[in-house]
Amino acid sequence: MDTPPNHSLLPPRRERLLETVHTYFKFGYTTFGGPAAHIGMLHEEVVTRRKWISNEQFTELFAICQALPGPASTELAYSLSLVRSGFLCACVAFLLWSIPGGIVMTVVGILIANIKGGIPEWATRLEQGLSSAAIGLVALAAYRMSTTLATDKLTRILALVAGGVSALYTAPWLLPVLMITGGLISFIYDAYWAPFLVIQRLTKERRKEEKGQAKDLEQGQAVKEDEEETHGQSTGSSQKGEITSVHGSIRQRASGDQESVKDRETVVDVNDEKLKEERLPFTYSKKLALVFLAIFFALLIASILVRALVPVQEKASYGQLVATFYFVGSIIFGGGPVIIPLLKNYTVDSHWMTDQQFLIGLALIQSMPGPNFNFAAFLGAVAMVNAGLNGVAGAALCFIAIFAPGILLKNAIIPFWQFFREKPAVKMVFRGVNACALGLVFSATWLLWVQTEHFGGNTGYHAVIASAAFVASGYLDVPAPLVIILGGGMGAIEYALR
């Protein structure tokens, strides 16, 4: 059954747009640290502060993004706004999230001939301070998510295994495999193994109770005749007392049950009132979702045909550029770090730019806010300028082409996720998926730390920044963007005191 749209039940479009701008504007300037840090900042803002969705829903969306091609954190930011306010607000959120860094990368790409050398030390220390603060936010998000997603032995084991494996191995296919495996394990456990364990426990208890009753009967038989002789006359009066006592206890239990029913009805009424007060999520039909899916595959087939039929030339054309970046965005799992070698192969090896130009852009993107896929804007600008064409147009086309596949797929999946997530079997699956996704967030804390310390500096000082960020955001209610900015300031202090 298709889900009917509920656009008329949402607040006015102007109100939704203002809420989106107010929520996402700061992200374009403070989302340093890469995808792992982005997840922590989104959780802090959307789940903890604004309470748009629950921990479970956030983790489910995060898990789906990890299993799809494209930039996971950007897809998550887009999805949160889509579920909250609709397509227009989601597009605005995406632009606010990514455009500031994309503009900087475009300008640098156009002016690349005037840029010499790599990133200076002061910028490296500043970036390390920002990333260290982001580590504290990621650890805080993982801790908060664990309080609702890892509540029993199974989910804790799944989170531990997923976190350990993803920390040790970084193959792009590994993340979706981990979450699918976790979902299957939780489904098998909840649907088959847990009921079997319950039946076994009840059987043991019943047998123990039967043995106890048999023993009591044997003992009672031995003293039965003595009791009848000594207490024959008092039996009637005691029975009357017992009957009266039983009737009294029955009345007490009945009144207690009525009170508990009233209490449950009151709780249900309160919960219903809360649900009525909460804002409904944005929904749209599954038919429209299938249209988005068809568009994704049509563009993918077109990009494959262009790459196969049009010879690669040393001077890139707009068509080749769009086809290449859409194809890359459609097949890359694992986010920014995975995309680097593939982009280098398609741009440097095709002679669209030099190796030095590519490396300068790669160094710059590590120090920029926003998604690592903004690197596409830099590469598009450099390729078009080197080909004697418009660098801004090249950057815009590459920017759109590389983000489009993930957004189209997300649009195709959201209605099915909203429909199926309440099914009992799907809940069983998502219990394991969410636990594995939680493990990925914990491992992201470690991976981000390794990435930050790769550039040297004072390791102990960076640990202090991360710890201060954890405490400031988690216990002093300091907003996450301000925590990131303060972390950058502490990084600058490290450079000044070197």
Side-chain angles (χ1 to χ4, degrees):
M1 185 176 179
D2 211 352
T3 304
N6 64 342
H7 307 172
S8 60
L9 302 177
L10 296 175
R13 181 176 297 173
R14 174 183 173 83
E15 181 180 330
R16 285 180 281 153
L17 283 171
L18 287 175
E19 180 188 51
T20 301
V21 172
H22 187 258
T23 302
Y24 279 85
F25 179 80
K26 56 183 171 290
F27 284 138
Y29 305 93
T30 58
T31 47
F32 295 91
H38 301 169
I39 302 302
M41 296 183 70
L42 284 170
H43 184 273
E44 173 68 22
E45 181 69 22
V46 173
V47 179
T48 304
R49 292 190 64 232
R50 299 186 179 273
K51 295 178 172 56
W52 283 6
I53 60 175
S54 66
N55 259 325
E56 291 80 2
Q57 292 171 317
F58 180 90
T59 312
E60 288 168 13
L61 287 173
F62 170 62
I64 294 171
C65 293
Q66 289 283 8
L68 294 178
S73 60
T74 302
E75 291 174 8
L76 180 60
Y78 176 87
S79 303
L80 294 170
S81 183
L82 174 62
V83 172
R84 175 73 173 176
S85 301
F87 290 111
L88 179 60
C89 292
C91 292
V92 171
F94 164 71
L95 293 176
L96 292 172
W97 174 270
S98 55
I99 277 294
I103 291 175
V104 174
M105 296 303 292
T106 299
V107 173
V108 173
I110 294 173
L111 302 176
I112 191 67
N114 298 322
I115 298 178
K116 305 296 182 183
I119 301 298
E121 183 184 354
W122 66 266
T124 299
R125 297 291 170 258
L126 176 65
E127 194 272 337
Q128 284 183 312
L130 297 168
S131 297
S132 298
I135 290 170
L137 295 181
V138 176
L140 179 64
Y143 166 72
R144 285 173 171 169
M145 293 165 68
S146 68
T147 59
T148 57
L149 300 177
T151 55
D152 62 345
K153 290 181 180 179
L154 175 65
T155 51
R156 289 166 185 164
I157 291 172
L158 288 175
L160 176 63
V161 172
V165 172
S166 59
L168 294 174
Y169 304 99
T170 57
W173 52 265
L174 186 61
L175 302 185
V177 168
L178 282 173
M179 287 181 290
I180 292 172
T181 304
L184 291 175
I185 291 174
S186 65
F187 176 78
I188 294 171
Y189 181 88
D190 290 344
Y192 300 103
W193 185 246
F196 173 74
L197 293 178
V198 171
I199 292 172
Q200 273 197 331
R201 179 174 57 82
L202 292 176
T203 303
K204 289 180 180 179
E205 291 178 355
R206 189 179 299 112
R207 289 175 180 173
K208 185 177 180 181
E209 183 179 352
E210 289 174 354
K211 290 180 179 179
Q213 289 177 351
K215 187 176 181 180
D216 292 340
L217 287 173
E218 291 176 357
Q219 294 176 351
Q221 189 66 28
V223 297
K224 183 177 180 181
E225 294 179 357
D226 294 337
E227 290 180 351
E228 288 178 353
E229 291 178 357
T230 56
H231 301 287
Q233 294 180 350
S234 61
T235 302
S237 59
S238 64
Q239 285 177 349
K240 290 180 181 180
E242 289 173 1
I243 291 172
T244 304
S245 175
V246 169
H247 282 307
S249 63
I250 290 174
R251 285 194 297 269
Q252 290 176 354
R253 287 198 299 268
S255 61
D257 291 341
Q258 290 177 355
E259 291 177 0
S260 64
V261 169
K262 290 181 181 179
D263 292 339
R264 287 196 297 270
E265 290 176 350
T266 303
V267 171
V268 171
D269 292 339
V270 171
N271 289 337
D272 288 342
E273 290 178 2
K274 287 182 179 180
L275 288 174
K276 290 178 182 177
E277 293 175 0
E278 290 179 358
R279 182 162 135 189
L280 294 173
F282 176 83
T283 60
Y284 53 98
S285 70
K286 291 188 280 293
K287 292 180 180 178
L288 180 58
L290 293 176
V291 171
F292 283 115
L293 186 63
I295 293 173
F296 165 79
F297 280 112
L299 293 176
L300 177 59
I301 293 171
S303 65
I304 293 173
L305 291 175
V306 169
R307 287 183 47 79
L309 300 178
V310 178
V312 177
Q313 300 177 354
E314 290 190 4
K315 290 187 177 182
S317 64
Y318 291 118
Q320 288 177 324
L321 211 60
V322 171
T324 298
F325 280 82
Y326 186 89
F327 176 74
V328 170
S330 301
I331 64 172
I332 284 296
F333 294 86
V338 183
I339 204 174
I340 301 304
L342 194 59
L343 286 177
K344 185 175 184 298
N345 178 58
Y346 288 148
T347 57
V348 177
D349 295 352
S350 298
H351 305 290
W352 291 352
M353 64 191 64
T354 66
D355 191 67
Q356 183 185 16
Q357 290 173 328
F358 183 91
L359 292 176
I360 291 175
L362 180 60
L364 181 63
I365 194 64
Q366 305 299 323
S367 304
M368 292 299 300
N372 288 337
F373 274 49
N374 279 343
F375 191 30
F378 171 87
L379 298 176
V382 173
M384 288 296 98
V385 169
N386 289 344
L389 300 174
N390 192 309
V392 175
L397 289 173
C398 289
F399 179 88
I400 295 171
I402 204 165
F403 282 108
I407 290 176
L408 287 172
L409 283 175
K410 203 65 181 179
N411 289 341
I413 286 178
I414 287 294
F416 294 96
W417 168 72
Q418 290 174 323
F419 179 77
F420 286 109
R421 71 177 303 270
E422 295 300 329
K423 306 294 182 182
V426 176
K427 285 185 175 181
M428 295 177 186
V429 171
F430 266 120
R431 204 166 79 90
V433 171
N434 290 346
C436 290
L438 173 64
L440 300 184
V441 178
F442 272 108
S443 69
T445 307
W446 166 252
L447 295 174
L448 185 57
W449 173 261
V450 172
Q451 173 187 323
T452 301
E453 295 309 302
H454 176 72
F455 299 100
N458 190 324
T459 301
Y461 185 68
H462 300 158
V464 170
I465 297 175
S467 303
F470 185 98
V471 173
S473 182
Y475 299 96
L476 303 180
D477 297 326
V478 180
L482 180 58
V483 170
I484 294 291
I485 293 172
L486 293 175
M490 294 179 72
I493 292 173
E494 180 186 7
Y495 172 77
L497 299 177
R498 72 192 191 284

